[in-house]
PDB file of all heavy atoms in Angstrom:
ATOM      1  N   ILE B 190      13.642   4.234  20.706  1.00 94.00           N
ATOM      2  CA  ILE B 190      13.022   5.211  19.829  1.00 94.00           C
ATOM      3  C   ILE B 190      11.569   5.224  20.025  1.00 94.00           C
ATOM      4  O   ILE B 190      10.930   6.214  20.126  1.00 94.00           O
ATOM      5  CB  ILE B 190      13.350   4.855  18.309  1.00 94.00           C
ATOM      6  CG1 ILE B 190      14.857   4.996  18.064  1.00 94.00           C
ATOM      7  CG2 ILE B 190      12.525   5.558  17.365  1.00 94.00           C
ATOM      8  CD1 ILE B 190      15.427   4.335  16.800  1.00 94.00           C
ATOM      9  N   ALA B 191      11.029   4.004  20.282  1.00 93.00           N
ATOM     10  CA  ALA B 191       9.467   3.822  20.385  1.00 93.00           C
ATOM     11  C   ALA B 191       9.156   4.591  21.704  1.00 93.00           C
ATOM     12  O   ALA B 191       8.061   5.378  21.868  1.00 93.00           O
ATOM     13  CB  ALA B 191       9.144   2.418  20.521  1.00 93.00           C
ATOM     14  N   LYS B 192       9.949   4.507  22.853  1.00 92.00           N
ATOM     15  CA  LYS B 192       9.631   5.167  24.083  1.00 92.00           C
ATOM     16  C   LYS B 192       9.767   6.744  23.802  1.00 92.00           C
ATOM     17  O   LYS B 192       8.935   7.547  24.299  1.00 92.00           O
ATOM     18  CB  LYS B 192      10.686   4.838  25.116  1.00 92.00           C
ATOM     19  CG  LYS B 192      10.449   3.359  25.673  1.00 92.00           C
ATOM     20  CD  LYS B 192      11.557   3.190  26.745  1.00 92.00           C
ATOM     21  CE  LYS B 192      11.447   1.824  27.420  1.00 92.00           C
ATOM     22  NZ  LYS B 192      12.564   1.580  28.329  1.00 92.00           N
ATOM     23  N   LEU B 193      10.737   7.177  23.121  1.00 92.00           N
ATOM     24  CA  LEU B 193      10.922   8.613  22.857  1.00 92.00           C
ATOM     25  C   LEU B 193       9.721   9.155  22.108  1.00 92.00           C
ATOM     26  O   LEU B 193       9.254  10.186  22.436  1.00 92.00           O
ATOM     27  CB  LEU B 193      12.270   8.685  21.991  1.00 92.00           C
ATOM     28  CG  LEU B 193      12.768  10.088  21.636  1.00 92.00           C
ATOM     29  CD1 LEU B 193      13.031  10.868  22.914  1.00 92.00           C
ATOM     30  CD2 LEU B 193      14.080   9.861  20.874  1.00 92.00           C
ATOM     31  N   ILE B 194       9.261   8.424  21.023  1.00 92.00           N
ATOM     32  CA  ILE B 194       8.111   8.863  20.329  1.00 92.00           C
ATOM     33  C   ILE B 194       6.902   9.048  21.279  1.00 92.00           C
ATOM     34  O   ILE B 194       6.176  10.074  21.271  1.00 92.00           O
ATOM     35  CB  ILE B 194       7.793   7.863  19.218  1.00 92.00           C
ATOM     36  CG1 ILE B 194       8.896   7.947  18.089  1.00 92.00           C
ATOM     37  CG2 ILE B 194       6.421   8.166  18.600  1.00 92.00           C
ATOM     38  CD1 ILE B 194       8.790   9.110  17.183  1.00 92.00           C
ATOM     39  N   TYR B 195       6.684   7.988  22.177  1.00 90.00           N
ATOM     40  CA  TYR B 195       5.500   8.062  23.023  1.00 90.00           C
ATOM     41  C   TYR B 195       5.688   9.143  23.983  1.00 90.00           C
ATOM     42  O   TYR B 195       4.681   9.889  24.285  1.00 90.00           O
ATOM     43  CB  TYR B 195       5.469   6.729  23.798  1.00 90.00           C
ATOM     44  CG  TYR B 195       4.216   6.689  24.632  1.00 90.00           C
ATOM     45  CD1 TYR B 195       2.987   6.522  24.134  1.00 90.00           C
ATOM     46  CD2 TYR B 195       4.365   6.807  26.051  1.00 90.00           C
ATOM     47  CE1 TYR B 195       1.902   6.487  24.943  1.00 90.00           C
ATOM     48  CE2 TYR B 195       3.283   6.820  26.805  1.00 90.00           C
ATOM     49  CZ  TYR B 195       2.013   6.765  26.251  1.00 90.00           C
ATOM     50  OH  TYR B 195       0.915   6.714  26.970  1.00 90.00           O
ATOM     51  N   ARG B 196       6.879   9.457  24.609  1.00 88.00           N
ATOM     52  CA  ARG B 196       7.045  10.489  25.486  1.00 88.00           C
ATOM     53  C   ARG B 196       6.745  11.910  24.797  1.00 88.00           C
ATOM     54  O   ARG B 196       6.221  12.821  25.432  1.00 88.00           O
ATOM     55  CB  ARG B 196       8.482  10.526  26.038  1.00 88.00           C
ATOM     56  CG  ARG B 196       8.681   9.583  27.160  1.00 88.00           C
ATOM     57  CD  ARG B 196       9.924  10.066  28.036  1.00 88.00           C
ATOM     58  NE  ARG B 196      11.102  10.265  27.287  1.00 88.00           N
ATOM     59  CZ  ARG B 196      11.997   9.221  27.082  1.00 88.00           C
ATOM     60  NH1 ARG B 196      11.772   8.036  27.512  1.00 88.00           N
ATOM     61  NH2 ARG B 196      12.998   9.391  26.304  1.00 88.00           N
ATOM     62  N   ALA B 197       7.228  11.944  23.602  1.00 87.00           N
ATOM     63  CA  ALA B 197       7.090  13.310  22.855  1.00 87.00           C
ATOM     64  C   ALA B 197       5.729  13.550  22.362  1.00 87.00           C
ATOM     65  O   ALA B 197       5.240  14.650  22.333  1.00 87.00           O
ATOM     66  CB  ALA B 197       8.205  13.397  21.857  1.00 87.00           C
ATOM     67  N   TYR B 198       5.078  12.438  21.915  1.00 84.00           N
ATOM     68  CA  TYR B 198       3.853  12.745  21.147  1.00 84.00           C
ATOM     69  C   TYR B 198       2.633  11.992  21.814  1.00 84.00           C
ATOM     70  O   TYR B 198       1.549  12.115  21.130  1.00 84.00           O
ATOM     71  CB  TYR B 198       3.977  12.261  19.714  1.00 84.00           C
ATOM     72  CG  TYR B 198       5.006  12.989  18.949  1.00 84.00           C
ATOM     73  CD1 TYR B 198       6.162  12.438  18.579  1.00 84.00           C
ATOM     74  CD2 TYR B 198       4.667  14.283  18.381  1.00 84.00           C
ATOM     75  CE1 TYR B 198       7.193  13.273  17.917  1.00 84.00           C
ATOM     76  CE2 TYR B 198       5.577  15.022  17.586  1.00 84.00           C
ATOM     77  CZ  TYR B 198       6.881  14.446  17.398  1.00 84.00           C
ATOM     78  OH  TYR B 198       7.785  15.115  16.523  1.00 84.00           O
ATOM     79  N   GLY B 199       2.749  11.249  22.835  1.00 84.00           N
ATOM     80  CA  GLY B 199       1.653  10.489  23.206  1.00 84.00           C
ATOM     81  C   GLY B 199       1.133   9.361  22.120  1.00 84.00           C
ATOM     82  O   GLY B 199       2.116   8.780  21.579  1.00 84.00           O
ATOM     83  N   TYR B 200      -0.128   9.564  21.820  1.00 80.00           N
ATOM     84  CA  TYR B 200      -0.556   8.700  20.788  1.00 80.00           C
ATOM     85  C   TYR B 200      -0.776   9.236  19.380  1.00 80.00           C
ATOM     86  O   TYR B 200      -1.409   8.741  18.523  1.00 80.00           O
ATOM     87  CB  TYR B 200      -1.929   7.953  21.184  1.00 80.00           C
ATOM     88  CG  TYR B 200      -1.777   6.917  22.255  1.00 80.00           C
ATOM     89  CD1 TYR B 200      -2.042   7.299  23.624  1.00 80.00           C
ATOM     90  CD2 TYR B 200      -1.225   5.729  22.077  1.00 80.00           C
ATOM     91  CE1 TYR B 200      -1.938   6.351  24.623  1.00 80.00           C
ATOM     92  CE2 TYR B 200      -1.237   4.709  23.049  1.00 80.00           C
ATOM     93  CZ  TYR B 200      -1.541   5.108  24.370  1.00 80.00           C
ATOM     94  OH  TYR B 200      -1.520   4.148  25.314  1.00 80.00           O
ATOM     95  N   THR B 201      -0.298  10.446  19.451  1.00 77.00           N
ATOM     96  CA  THR B 201      -0.629  11.331  18.214  1.00 77.00           C
ATOM     97  C   THR B 201       0.368  11.352  16.927  1.00 77.00           C
ATOM     98  O   THR B 201       0.142  11.997  16.019  1.00 77.00           O
ATOM     99  CB  THR B 201      -0.878  12.838  18.501  1.00 77.00           C
ATOM    100  OG1 THR B 201       0.390  13.334  18.965  1.00 77.00           O
ATOM    101  CG2 THR B 201      -1.948  13.006  19.673  1.00 77.00           C
ATOM    102  N   TYR B 202       1.488  10.611  17.063  1.00 81.00           N
ATOM    103  CA  TYR B 202       2.370  10.561  16.064  1.00 81.00           C
ATOM    104  C   TYR B 202       1.843   9.753  14.750  1.00 81.00           C
ATOM    105  O   TYR B 202       1.328   8.694  14.912  1.00 81.00           O
ATOM    106  CB  TYR B 202       3.789   9.991  16.371  1.00 81.00           C
ATOM    107  CG  TYR B 202       4.810  10.324  15.501  1.00 81.00           C
ATOM    108  CD1 TYR B 202       5.300  11.561  15.510  1.00 81.00           C
ATOM    109  CD2 TYR B 202       5.391   9.285  14.634  1.00 81.00           C
ATOM    110  CE1 TYR B 202       6.534  11.966  14.605  1.00 81.00           C
ATOM    111  CE2 TYR B 202       6.513   9.681  13.775  1.00 81.00           C
ATOM    112  CZ  TYR B 202       7.061  10.837  13.796  1.00 81.00           C
ATOM    113  OH  TYR B 202       8.025  11.255  12.997  1.00 81.00           O
ATOM    114  N   ALA B 203       1.808  10.537  13.546  1.00 75.00           N
ATOM    115  CA  ALA B 203       1.130  10.041  12.378  1.00 75.00           C
ATOM    116  C   ALA B 203       1.720   8.694  11.896  1.00 75.00           C
ATOM    117  O   ALA B 203       1.140   7.763  11.598  1.00 75.00           O
ATOM    118  CB  ALA B 203       1.245  11.058  11.249  1.00 75.00           C
ATOM    119  N   LYS B 204       3.136   8.474  12.045  1.00 81.00           N
ATOM    120  CA  LYS B 204       3.673   7.253  11.591  1.00 81.00           C
ATOM    121  C   LYS B 204       3.633   6.197  12.710  1.00 81.00           C
ATOM    122  O   LYS B 204       4.580   6.110  13.538  1.00 81.00           O
ATOM    123  CB  LYS B 204       5.131   7.516  11.164  1.00 81.00           C
ATOM    124  CG  LYS B 204       5.335   8.680  10.234  1.00 81.00           C
ATOM    125  CD  LYS B 204       5.997   8.316   8.964  1.00 81.00           C
ATOM    126  CE  LYS B 204       5.828   9.288   7.837  1.00 81.00           C
ATOM    127  NZ  LYS B 204       6.602   9.181   6.690  1.00 81.00           N
ATOM    128  N   THR B 205       2.513   5.586  12.692  1.00 82.00           N
ATOM    129  CA  THR B 205       2.310   4.744  13.936  1.00 82.00           C
ATOM    130  C   THR B 205       3.181   3.512  14.034  1.00 82.00           C
ATOM    131  O   THR B 205       3.450   3.029  15.222  1.00 82.00           O
ATOM    132  CB  THR B 205       0.842   4.253  13.837  1.00 82.00           C
ATOM    133  OG1 THR B 205       0.616   3.734  12.513  1.00 82.00           O
ATOM    134  CG2 THR B 205      -0.170   5.328  14.172  1.00 82.00           C
ATOM    135  N   GLU B 206       3.854   3.103  12.952  1.00 85.00           N
ATOM    136  CA  GLU B 206       4.797   2.118  13.156  1.00 85.00           C
ATOM    137  C   GLU B 206       5.866   2.340  14.096  1.00 85.00           C
ATOM    138  O   GLU B 206       6.573   1.356  14.594  1.00 85.00           O
ATOM    139  CB  GLU B 206       5.414   1.662  11.736  1.00 85.00           C
ATOM    140  CG  GLU B 206       6.077   2.677  10.925  1.00 85.00           C
ATOM    141  CD  GLU B 206       5.046   3.469   9.975  1.00 85.00           C
ATOM    142  OE1 GLU B 206       3.857   3.468  10.319  1.00 85.00           O
ATOM    143  OE2 GLU B 206       5.515   3.979   9.033  1.00 85.00           O
ATOM    144  N   LEU B 207       6.202   3.602  14.451  1.00 91.00           N
ATOM    145  CA  LEU B 207       7.199   3.932  15.342  1.00 91.00           C
ATOM    146  C   LEU B 207       6.892   3.598  16.895  1.00 91.00           C
ATOM    147  O   LEU B 207       7.731   3.825  17.680  1.00 91.00           O
ATOM    148  CB  LEU B 207       7.578   5.410  15.145  1.00 91.00           C
ATOM    149  CG  LEU B 207       8.448   5.773  13.984  1.00 91.00           C
ATOM    150  CD1 LEU B 207       8.871   7.178  13.889  1.00 91.00           C
ATOM    151  CD2 LEU B 207       9.746   4.934  13.907  1.00 91.00           C
ATOM    152  N   TYR B 208       5.608   3.197  17.117  1.00 91.00           N
ATOM    153  CA  TYR B 208       5.278   2.773  18.426  1.00 91.00           C
ATOM    154  C   TYR B 208       5.620   1.280  18.702  1.00 91.00           C
ATOM    155  O   TYR B 208       5.361   0.781  19.635  1.00 91.00           O
ATOM    156  CB  TYR B 208       3.786   3.048  18.686  1.00 91.00           C
ATOM    157  CG  TYR B 208       3.392   4.473  18.750  1.00 91.00           C
ATOM    158  CD1 TYR B 208       2.784   5.111  17.687  1.00 91.00           C
ATOM    159  CD2 TYR B 208       3.711   5.217  19.815  1.00 91.00           C
ATOM    160  CE1 TYR B 208       2.473   6.489  17.818  1.00 91.00           C
ATOM    161  CE2 TYR B 208       3.350   6.617  19.978  1.00 91.00           C
ATOM    162  CZ  TYR B 208       2.691   7.233  18.855  1.00 91.00           C
ATOM    163  OH  TYR B 208       2.422   8.470  18.992  1.00 91.00           O
ATOM    164  N   TYR B 209       6.029   0.723  17.513  1.00 91.00           N
ATOM    165  CA  TYR B 209       6.318  -0.827  17.614  1.00 91.00           C
ATOM    166  C   TYR B 209       7.741  -1.094  17.460  1.00 91.00           C
ATOM    167  O   TYR B 209       8.325  -1.111  16.370  1.00 91.00           O
ATOM    168  CB  TYR B 209       5.530  -1.336  16.408  1.00 91.00           C
ATOM    169  CG  TYR B 209       3.999  -1.238  16.650  1.00 91.00           C
ATOM    170  CD1 TYR B 209       3.369  -0.090  16.099  1.00 91.00           C
ATOM    171  CD2 TYR B 209       3.213  -2.156  17.344  1.00 91.00           C
ATOM    172  CE1 TYR B 209       2.041   0.124  16.275  1.00 91.00           C
ATOM    173  CE2 TYR B 209       1.785  -1.909  17.399  1.00 91.00           C
ATOM    174  CZ  TYR B 209       1.261  -0.829  16.939  1.00 91.00           C
ATOM    175  OH  TYR B 209       0.017  -0.531  17.049  1.00 91.00           O
ATOM    176  N   PRO B 210       8.475  -1.405  18.600  1.00 93.00           N
ATOM    177  CA  PRO B 210       9.982  -1.628  18.454  1.00 93.00           C
ATOM    178  C   PRO B 210      10.358  -2.666  17.380  1.00 93.00           C
ATOM    179  O   PRO B 210      11.284  -2.509  16.700  1.00 93.00           O
ATOM    180  CB  PRO B 210      10.287  -2.036  19.942  1.00 93.00           C
ATOM    181  CG  PRO B 210       9.279  -1.521  20.731  1.00 93.00           C
ATOM    182  CD  PRO B 210       8.036  -1.442  19.938  1.00 93.00           C
ATOM    183  N   GLU B 211       9.539  -3.828  17.351  1.00 90.00           N
ATOM    184  CA  GLU B 211       9.834  -4.687  16.365  1.00 90.00           C
ATOM    185  C   GLU B 211       9.844  -4.369  14.918  1.00 90.00           C
ATOM    186  O   GLU B 211      10.664  -4.723  14.105  1.00 90.00           O
ATOM    187  CB  GLU B 211       8.811  -5.987  16.531  1.00 90.00           C
ATOM    188  CG  GLU B 211       9.206  -6.856  17.588  1.00 90.00           C
ATOM    189  CD  GLU B 211       8.147  -8.085  17.630  1.00 90.00           C
ATOM    190  OE1 GLU B 211       8.138  -8.928  16.946  1.00 90.00           O
ATOM    191  OE2 GLU B 211       7.145  -7.788  18.494  1.00 90.00           O
ATOM    192  N   LYS B 212       8.902  -3.325  14.673  1.00 89.00           N
ATOM    193  CA  LYS B 212       8.794  -2.858  13.346  1.00 89.00           C
ATOM    194  C   LYS B 212       9.932  -1.963  12.999  1.00 89.00           C
ATOM    195  O   LYS B 212      10.533  -2.063  11.898  1.00 89.00           O
ATOM    196  CB  LYS B 212       7.428  -2.090  13.195  1.00 89.00           C
ATOM    197  CG  LYS B 212       6.243  -2.798  13.083  1.00 89.00           C
ATOM    198  CD  LYS B 212       5.031  -2.016  12.726  1.00 89.00           C
ATOM    199  CE  LYS B 212       3.767  -2.805  12.854  1.00 89.00           C
ATOM    200  NZ  LYS B 212       2.545  -1.977  12.543  1.00 89.00           N
TER     201      LYS B 212
END
Side-chain angles (χ1 to χ4, degrees):
Chain B
I190 294 164
K192 283 181 180 174
L193 186 56
I194 293 281
Y195 183 74
R196 277 203 305 273
Y198 296 104
Y200 288 100
T201 65
Y202 197 72
K204 305 229 166 175
T205 49
E206 54 272 24
L207 285 182
Y208 292 104
Y209 300 85
E211 277 178 81
K212 289 188 185 182

